[in-house]
Amino acid sequence: MLSEEPLVTAAGENGPAAAGMTADGTAETPAAVPGAGMVADSGGAAGPQSRTTDIVPGPGGVMTDEVGVVTGDLTLRTEYADGKVTLRVQYKDADEWYVVTGTSVTLADAAGLDAVHGVAVGLLNRPEG
């Protein structure tokens, strides 16, 4: 028959049953597992994330909110932050980034970032015209 009495820890406090304890009552040493509890992106699963790819748009270029149409060798960055995805472009190796017009939309799960970036590259990269 199981006892209904609270368990008492080594320090004399009421506590949970033997979680993390060995048979002799000493604390169990945690196992060292490299990367345990970590995510691949430095921003964390829900934090800001981005993907970048160099592209060459077709003859019409890429329309941006800040400066209008940009053409030539560009870098496309697909960003995910706060439940939204936004596409930005910059002239290759420049400092300024411009929002691609109409591309700031809700994305329910950051796991879709790679797919969104792949579609954006497929639509905007037209080196042959």
Side-chain angles (χ1 to χ4, degrees):
M1 178 171 186
L2 295 176
S3 170
E4 297 289 328
E5 295 178 27
L7 294 173
V8 179
T9 64
E13 302 168 352
N14 290 340
M21 302 297 281
T22 61
D24 66 1
T26 60
E28 185 175 278
T29 305
V33 179
M38 303 299 289
V39 293
D41 272 310
S42 62
Q49 301 176 43
S50 66
R51 306 292 184 268
T52 58
T53 301
D54 291 335
I55 64 169
V56 178
V62 176
M63 179 62 78
T64 68
D65 291 347
E66 297 85 359
V67 296
V69 175
V70 292
T71 60
D73 293 339
L74 305 174
T75 301
L76 172 69
R77 180 170 69 197
T78 306
E79 302 172 340
Y80 177 82
D82 300 324
K84 295 188 92 171
V85 66
T86 302
L87 301 180
R88 297 179 191 272
V89 291
Q90 72 174 171
Y91 290 103
K92 190 166 169 51
D93 299 323
D95 293 327
E96 301 84 16
W97 287 94
Y98 308 113
V99 174
V100 176
T101 300
T103 64
S104 185
V105 298
T106 300
L107 181 63
D109 187 350
L113 182 62
D114 287 332
V116 171
H117 184 70
V119 168
V121 169
L123 291 171
L124 297 175
N125 189 37
R126 298 283 181 232
E128 303 300 321

